[in-house]
Amino acid sequence: EKLQGGEKEAAEGAAFAAAVLPRIHAASPEAAQTIYNNLRVGASSTDSAAVKSAFESVYPALGITCAEMGGLWNEAEKSYYSGMEPCQDVSTRETETVVKNNNTLAIALGCTFGALFAIAAAFILFIRNREKRGEMTFETWKTAEQSVAKDMN
């Protein structure tokens, strides 16, 4: 097949796979195994459709769209090679849901930490105000006898 290539193309495929496999594996160990089996050094053959499918399966996890990747163009025929057309993106609804959930989490965390900061700032200003008036801010714990002795004086 025209897309199989020779020794040079196999070496380039193996080098590319070695570079991207850790990231692919983080997204999908199964996809990484398919890519490795087909592009590793010494692979007896390459199932380009399986490799393409494995890469396409992790596009969402990598933040890549099919439109960004495109396909393999045959300039002589002015069309894509058979089976190498750009894939179709899965509904962006799933991605939008993740983004919306992340935005909600960010807003909730922002409000929580903002409120904690405001409480801490108010406490610091309260303590500072007491110290300026000469009032004791922190007292040591006293025994009952010390408290009674102080009250008698």
Side-chain angles (χ1 to χ4, degrees), residues 83-138:
M84 293 293 136
E85 301 84 6
C87 63
Q88 297 298 313
D89 287 316
V90 178
S91 172
T92 56
R93 211 172 310 144
E94 294 172 11
T95 305
E96 290 171 359
T97 301
V98 170
V99 169
K100 190 178 288 186
N101 288 344
N102 285 344
N103 286 344
T104 303
L105 177 63
I107 291 168
L109 287 173
C111 290
T112 301
F113 287 115
L116 289 173
F117 176 78
I119 291 168
F123 182 72
I124 290 170
L125 291 174
F126 172 75
I127 297 296
R128 183 173 165 247
N129 190 28
R130 286 188 61 150
E131 287 177 352
K132 278 188 172 184
R133 289 192 313 235
E135 296 175 9
M136 196 122 175
T137 304
F138 298 103

Side-chain angles (χ1 to χ4, degrees), residues 12-36:
E12 289 172 346
F16 177 75
V20 299
L21 276 175
R23 182 63 185 98
I24 301 297
H25 186 272
S28 169
E30 297 80 19
Q33 189 65 50
T34 300
I35 294 166
Y36 172 77

Side-chain angles (χ1 to χ4, degrees), residues 68-84:
E68 292 170 330
M69 292 307 294
L72 185 58
W73 184 254
N74 184 338
E75 186 61 36
E77 296 182 18
K78 302 292 185 203
S79 64
Y80 292 103
Y81 283 100
S82 178
M84 293 293 136

Side-chain angles (χ1 to χ4, degrees), residues 5 7 13 37 50-51 57 65 77-78 88 104 112 117 139 145:
E7 193 174 301
N37 290 341
V51 172
S57 72
T65 65
E77 296 182 18
K78 302 292 185 203
Q88 297 298 313
T104 303
T112 301
F117 176 78
E139 293 184 32
E145 294 93 24

